[in-house]
Amino acid sequence: MDKNLKLYLTTIFTAAFLVFLRLGSSYIFDFALNEVLFFTAALLILSNMSMLFNSISKVITSMNLPILLTTFVVLNPFWAAVVSAVGTTEFKTRESGFIWFKFLFNRAVFFLSAAAGALAFNFTQARLGESGFPFSALLAASLIYFLVDNILVYIVLYLAENDIKQTSLINYFFELSKNLVTSYFIGIILFASYIYFGKVFFALVIVLLYVIKDFFYSRLQQINSYTQIVESFLKVIDSKDHYTEGHCKRVAYYTYHLCKQLGLSKTKSEKIINVAKIHDIGKIYVNDEVLKSSDKLSNTQYQEIKKHAVYGYQLLKDIDILKEELDVLLHHHERWDGTGYPDGLSEKEIPIGARILNITDSFDVMTTGRSYKAPLTKMETIEELEICSGSQFDPEIAAEMIKLIEDGHFDNNFLREDLISEYQFSIEY
């Protein structure tokens, strides 16, 4: 163990011990055993069964603050801190086994954080003199608890792990702040249920919140699984043809802007964008000589490469999580006038996602060019979209794409020859 880490741990243990003595001397005999046992049991259950995982910091955050907010009101700072330290004990089996200094560190941090939060509640309550529901005092307690807890944890991670050094303190707190907001409002609900309806209702609300949390967590896991599948297929595409991977990423970027321009919902847009990232996955089944040919394709070669939409559909159709969007992948080469492939769909028969993808896919081809054809200029691209509007492209969607180009959203495509092949973007509405 690094000597700086040893010094830090010693400091935390000493601080927790001193605070324990100081608060204990004032409050140790001022408690109701049934309240202490009830909150400790509730916290033990929630700490061991309801976790939130933070991907950036790789920290598992137990949802204990909502329960602790009620203890800050019902118990004094010493016993609130004791409940926090004991109630957050995890009984889950870990592969690494029991590590005593980690266990003591966690207990010390929870004790100090809860003590600080409880004192902040008392101080704010005394200063503001809130006669009704203590929203402000609970908010102050939440903020202080959050800051003390996560600063102490960030420091130990910084000293112990190299990974966290890649994450700034601002990013670390930004991610965890989402838990703070959620915890505060859940804590308000729990406190109200305890004050107005008693312990039984308090316990029932915890069960209900756990069920709701599990539902949303399972949805989050599904989204993460979808993302991992898409990223895995991008790697497969890249192993077959690096240009195709870059093309898919660029098309996804254009698709994001066009979906936003069209005012599609976030959910609908995400589905279309995710398909855009892997819309050419079927090309992994196309002969390398055809796929990487630097010459204009012969009719036979063109007929072969046209099969990639069906190949991609066949490859992905048995993956349940992708089924809903596969019509977009299958039909992204259909034309508005019905002369496209594979099924010759026309106009509104073509899924809107496929109509969008047809335009963004073609736009990338126009602006990157081929070995046998130079990329188009900005005006030439607009003219090409206008010419093909109503024949290849949905005229309404083409008009919106032209607006994006005219407004300068994709000017880099026309200013540089070495087009950027990787875009980092997020959906914001």
Side-chain angles (χ1 to χ4, degrees):
M1 185 189 300
D2 181 79
K3 65 178 181 179
N4 290 328
L5 180 57
K6 287 183 178 179
L7 178 61
Y8 177 68
L9 292 176
T10 302
T11 302
I12 295 299
F13 296 154
T14 303
F17 180 69
L18 292 175
V19 172
F20 179 89
L21 292 178
R22 177 64 184 85
L23 292 179
S25 64
S26 300
Y27 298 110
I28 193 168
F29 298 110
D30 178 19
F31 74 101
L33 182 60
N34 61 328
E35 303 287 355
V36 172
L37 292 178
F38 173 76
F39 288 117
T40 301
L43 195 54
L44 277 169
I45 293 171
L46 198 62
S47 294
N48 283 276
M49 297 181 66
S50 183
M51 301 286 185
L52 292 180
F53 183 75
N54 303 287
S55 58
I56 293 178
S57 57
K58 298 180 180 178
V59 176
I60 293 177
T61 303
S62 176
M63 291 293 290
N64 54 69
L65 181 56
I67 289 179
L68 288 176
L69 288 181
T70 303
T71 70
F72 294 161
V73 181
V74 177
L75 303 175
N76 61 54
F78 175 78
W79 285 108
V82 170
V83 167
S84 177
V86 177
T88 53
T89 303
E90 294 179 35
F91 297 106
K92 294 183 178 182
T93 302
R94 295 181 179 276
E95 293 181 3
S96 57
F98 178 79
I99 303 176
W100 68 269
F101 59 85
K102 286 187 177 182
F103 175 81
L104 289 181
F105 173 78
N106 288 329
R107 305 287 67 74
V109 167
F110 282 121
F111 182 87
L112 291 172
S113 302
L119 290 170
F121 174 84
N122 290 347
F123 177 81
T124 306
Q125 181 80 335
R127 284 298 181 94
L128 297 180
E130 288 179 307
S131 56
F133 203 92
F135 288 104
S136 300
L138 289 174
L139 178 60
S142 300
L143 289 171
I144 295 300
Y145 177 92
F146 171 80
L147 289 172
V148 173
D149 180 34
N150 289 293
I151 287 175
L152 296 180
V153 171
Y154 181 85
I155 293 173
V156 78
L157 290 176
Y158 187 88
L159 294 173
E161 300 180 12
N162 290 325
D163 288 347
I164 197 67
K165 294 178 182 179
Q166 306 301 318
T167 304
S168 71
L169 184 61
I170 294 175
N171 287 337
Y172 177 85
F173 271 92
F174 177 76
E175 184 188 8
L176 294 180
S177 65
K178 293 176 284 188
N179 288 351
L180 171 64
V181 174
T182 303
S183 296
Y184 173 71
F185 285 106
I186 292 176
I188 291 294
I189 295 172
L190 286 174
F191 176 66
S193 66
Y194 182 87
I195 294 299
Y196 298 118
F197 302 102
K199 293 185 177 68
V200 175
F201 196 80
F202 181 89
L204 290 175
V205 172
I206 291 176
V207 173
L208 177 62
L209 290 172
Y210 177 72
V211 172
I212 294 173
K213 190 277 309 178
D214 250 24
F215 171 78
F216 284 107
Y217 185 68
S218 64
R219 174 59 180 162
L220 180 61
Q221 285 183 312
Q222 185 181 46
I223 293 171
N224 288 339
S225 297
Y226 192 113
T227 302
Q228 290 168 4
I229 290 172
V230 169
E231 293 300 324
S232 296
F233 277 122
L234 277 174
K235 292 178 182 178
V236 173
I237 294 171
D238 186 42
S239 68
K240 177 77 171 180
D241 179 18
H242 184 64
Y243 171 81
T244 301
E245 185 214 16
H247 165 71
C248 287
K249 288 184 178 180
R250 293 192 299 271
V251 170
Y253 174 75
Y254 309 142
T255 300
Y256 157 67
H257 282 287
L258 187 52
C259 286
K260 190 173 183 180
Q261 178 76 8
L262 292 167
L264 299 186
S265 68
K266 181 178 179 180
T267 300
K268 184 71 173 177
S269 298
E270 285 178 336
K271 291 177 180 178
I272 298 171
I273 292 165
N274 279 324
V275 172
K277 291 178 181 178
I278 55 173
H279 72 278
D280 278 342
I281 183 65
K283 287 184 178 179
I284 65 174
Y285 292 112
V286 176
N287 187 288
D288 282 352
E289 292 182 4
V290 176
L291 189 61
K292 299 180 180 179
S293 174
S294 59
D295 300 321
K296 190 171 183 178
L297 298 177
S298 66
N299 183 59
T300 302
Q301 290 174 322
Y302 181 59
Q303 293 303 317
E304 171 64 17
I305 206 164
K306 280 173 63 175
K307 297 177 183 178
H308 76 275
V310 175
Y311 289 155
Y313 177 83
Q314 293 294 331
L315 174 66
L316 304 176
K317 67 182 179 65
D318 293 326
I319 302 177
D320 289 339
I321 199 171
L322 298 175
K323 280 184 178 179
E324 190 177 344
E325 297 83 31
L326 284 188
D327 60 340
V328 175
L329 183 150
L330 179 62
H331 297 298
H332 76 276
H333 281 296
E334 304 285 1
R335 293 169 58 102
W336 185 255
D337 60 9
T339 62
Y341 61 88
D343 295 327
L345 302 182
S346 63
E347 299 188 2
K348 296 297 177 70
E349 292 177 335
I350 307 169
I352 186 171
R355 283 178 269 147
I356 291 170
L357 205 52
N358 189 1
I359 293 176
T360 55
D361 185 29
S362 300
F363 174 77
D364 189 61
V365 174
M366 294 177 198
T367 57
T368 57
R370 291 290 186 268
S371 58
Y372 52 85
K373 186 176 181 181
L376 302 183
T377 64
K378 183 174 182 176
M379 289 308 301
E380 288 172 339
T381 300
I382 292 173
E383 289 173 5
E384 185 71 13
L385 288 170
E386 289 174 340
I387 291 170
C388 295
S389 178
S391 56
Q392 180 178 350
F393 306 132
D394 179 330
E396 294 181 3
I397 298 178
E400 296 302 323
M401 186 66 177
I402 290 171
K403 287 181 184 178
L404 286 172
I405 297 170
E406 290 176 337
D407 291 342
H409 284 278
F410 311 123
D411 277 356
N412 281 343
N413 293 60
F414 308 105
L415 296 175
R416 296 174 53 187
E417 294 181 359
D418 56 327
L419 296 177
I420 300 172
S421 63
E422 295 187 9
Y423 293 85
Q424 300 294 330
F425 60 94
S426 59
I427 300 175
E428 295 179 0
Y429 282 85

